[in-house]
Each structure stands twice: as structure tokens, then as C-alpha cells.
Amino acid sequence: MEIDKTNIILNNDGSIYHLGLFPNEINDIIFTVGDPDRVKFVSRHFNSINLKKQKREFLIHNGLYKGVPVSVLSTGIGTGNIDIVINELDIISNIDLKTGKLNNKKKQLNIIRLGTSASIQPEINIGSILLSEFAIGFDNLLNFYSYENEFEESLSIKLMKHLNIDDDNIKPYAFKCDDYLFNNFSKTFSNSGITLTNSGFYGPQSRNIRIPLRFKNLNNKLNSFEYSEKKITNLDMETSGIYGLCKLLGHKSLSINAILANRTTGDFVKDPDKTIDYMIEQSFNLVESI
């Protein structure tokens, strides 16, 4: 199979356009964070660092942890950025940039999001760590791709009926994390649930500031939804895009969430850096098992 090279944009030096990376500058295990400033908090756990590179908000550190090659990459905020990051990681992993042809041997990446999130369930304590077993996208990204998905009918349609929303402009999609990664990390992190990924931080997450909200009490309705004995536990802005694109491209993915706030109780964690660092440390303890 040959890809239309006009769809693969490169920089003058031959690196992939947005990330500025070459195929040999990414490892098979990739931790992603939203904030470029958080990259150093992850890479300080490396035993050694052999690459630091940045273009725009995309900062990467490569190194070794207990002899295992690992990368940490900042994505920026939102699934628009995720569309760039996951596609470009796949391009430099599986396509010959000079010819546009697929490589003979397909590489499967392990992409693990280390993110922050807010819970909408009162029993999910602030300061806890939660795995996203499923992700529902309210952001519309995957609706631009053609695919069949086993959860599309059962989860997405059930949610729309539950919310009593009949709107052609809102078409949620749903994907599951990689089972192998989930089973490995759930040995350390016992909390899990469904993450709802929003297209924004304010109105899409029911924050009413100066513009009236179109959907009243949305978080309360989401709070009471259940699927396969799982509740919508938390809100974020990236997970659904990661799960969807990784699934369609054949990569493994998992989203790990540091719960810094509870939208139901109004509580906020007092020391967010401590919670985030705990999530990072515990996640690195599992690197050798990936």
C-alpha cells in the first residue's frame, strides 16, 4: 500500500511536520502529558536521558528506565492536538517518509496518558488515581474517520437516550482502552470507569460563567448514567481521541487520571503536584511489565 505523499507533510530537514521528529526519535513506550512543563516531572524518573527536542507545544524526552527505552511527549490540550500527535507518531513509526510506502513490519506503540481530571461521582475521592476503561467522545474528532466500532451502538446511543438529547450536531463516539495495559495497571490502580472527553473546558464541561448554557444540568445527568456496570466517573479533554485513533491504527493505549477535583462535592486537592508525582512513580514501576 502506498500513501498519497501530499498528505504527509515534512519539514525541510525531513522530520514530520508538527512534532519535528524522525523515525528513530521515538520509543515504543510513550507517556503523554498535556503540559510541556510536566515533561521534566516525568523524565526526572528516567535513569538516563538521551534526547530532548521541542517544536511548538510538543516537547519530547527520551531515555531509559531500568534498561527499558521510554519516551515522554507533551501533546497540548484537546483532541485537535491529539489528532496531530497520534497520526504523526504512527506515520514516523510505520511509513517510509521518503517513499510514502508502509513499512514491511508494522510497529505497535504503547501510548499511556498521564493526565489530570475532575470527577463527577461523589465517591471518587480527590487525590485518587483512576484508569479510563472506556472513553466517550463529545468532541466529534472520530466522526471524521470511517470505521466500525463494537461500542458505537450500545454505549453512545444509550447515552444519548439517557440524556434525552436529540441533536444531529452531537454525535458521541466510544472506545475501550487496551485490555493488556488495563489489566497490568489495574493491579496498582484499582479505580476505573468511563471518561467523558469534552471539546472544551468551560461550556462543554458545564461551567457557566457569562454565556448561558444550552444543556442544563448536564453533569447531573451524566452522573446517573451506567454502562456495563460502569459509571461516567470523570471529565477530560484528550482520552477519547487517544483511544479511538490508537484502536484504528493498531496501537495500545491507556489513560491514567490524577483526580484533582470533584465537580459534585466542589472539593479540590490541596497539593496537586504530590498527586501527579504519585501517579508518575507508580506508573513507572509497571514499565518493565509492558
Side-chain angles (χ1 to χ4, degrees):
M1 178 182 178
E2 188 168 340
I3 310 297
D4 183 350
K5 281 194 68 177
T6 62
N7 292 327
I8 301 174
I9 305 172
L10 305 179
N11 296 305
N12 290 335
D13 64 359
S15 63
I16 195 67
Y17 184 65
H18 295 92
L19 299 184
L21 296 174
F22 292 94
N24 63 343
E25 293 182 329
I26 196 72
N27 292 309
D28 292 354
I29 299 175
I30 306 165
F31 289 94
T32 68
V33 294
D35 185 356
D37 286 340
R38 196 169 290 154
V39 169
K40 62 186 176 184
F41 287 100
V42 178
S43 66
R44 68 182 179 181
H45 295 276
F46 292 2
N47 299 129
S48 62
I49 297 174
N50 51 48
L51 175 72
K52 293 182 179 181
K53 198 171 186 180
Q54 183 168 14
K55 188 178 181 193
R56 299 188 176 107
E57 64 266 52
F58 307 116
L59 170 64
I60 188 169
H61 286 183
N62 286 344
L64 292 174
Y65 179 79
K66 294 184 178 179
V68 179
V70 288
S71 299
V72 56
L73 172 67
S74 59
T75 65
I77 297 174
T79 54
N81 273 23
I82 293 301
D83 186 55
I84 291 170
V85 170
I86 302 300
N87 274 293
E88 293 196 356
L89 287 176
D90 181 74
I91 290 168
I92 62 176
S93 298
N94 288 307
I95 296 175
D96 186 313
L97 299 184
K98 294 181 180 179
T99 66
K101 293 182 179 180
L102 284 171
N103 297 336
N104 292 328
K105 187 176 180 181
K106 189 174 183 303
K107 180 181 287 188
Q108 184 179 60
L109 302 174
N110 296 276
I111 297 176
I112 301 165
R113 173 185 176 269
L114 298 173
T116 59
S117 188
S119 171
I120 61 169
Q121 298 292 344
E123 67 272 17
I124 303 294
N125 295 326
I126 57 171
S128 63
I129 310 299
L130 183 141
L131 303 180
S132 303
E133 186 170 0
F134 293 92
I136 299 173
F138 262 32
D139 57 285
N140 231 23
L141 172 61
L142 266 291
N143 295 328
F144 288 89
Y145 294 91
S146 178
Y147 62 92
E148 293 182 3
N149 180 4
E150 61 184 303
F151 305 113
E152 197 65 17
E153 294 292 321
S154 57
L155 207 168
S156 303
I157 293 177
K158 184 178 179 182
L159 176 60
M160 291 298 281
K161 288 181 178 177
H162 175 81
L163 296 176
N164 195 27
I165 294 177
D166 184 14
D167 190 325
D168 289 339
N169 295 315
I170 299 177
K171 295 180 180 179
Y173 60 90
F175 281 89
K176 194 173 187 287
C177 70
D178 177 75
D179 288 334
Y180 178 79
L181 291 178
F182 179 82
N183 291 335
N184 254 8
F185 280 77
S186 61
K187 296 172 185 175
T188 296
F189 304 120
S190 58
N191 287 334
S192 64
I194 302 172
T195 295
L196 183 77
T197 297
N198 302 89
S199 58
F201 185 77
Y202 289 95
Q205 293 191 32
S206 296
R207 289 182 170 91
N208 188 356
I209 312 298
R210 296 207 310 126
I211 305 172
L213 299 179
R214 181 177 176 186
F215 302 107
K216 306 295 183 183
N217 302 314
L218 181 60
N219 284 355
N220 289 336
K221 294 177 182 178
L222 293 171
N223 179 283
S224 59
F225 178 74
E226 277 195 28
Y227 174 80
S228 190
E229 299 183 351
K230 290 284 184 181
K231 294 182 178 180
I232 295 177
T233 46
N234 61 307
L235 308 176
D236 86 335
M237 293 178 63
E238 287 88 32
T239 297
S240 64
I242 295 172
Y243 282 12
L245 292 175
C246 283
K247 178 71 173 179
L248 300 182
L249 290 167
H251 302 296
K252 296 179 180 180
S253 61
L254 180 67
S255 181
I256 307 173
N257 307 273
I259 303 299
L260 302 185
N262 189 304
R263 297 292 302 280
T264 304
T265 64
D267 294 328
F268 292 86
V269 72
K270 293 181 179 179
D271 190 350
D273 286 346
K274 182 179 179 180
T275 301
I276 294 167
D277 213 39
Y278 172 78
M279 172 180 65
I280 295 168
E281 287 177 356
Q282 295 301 311
S283 296
F284 267 79
N285 288 336
L286 298 162
V287 161
E288 292 177 290
S289 66
I290 297 175

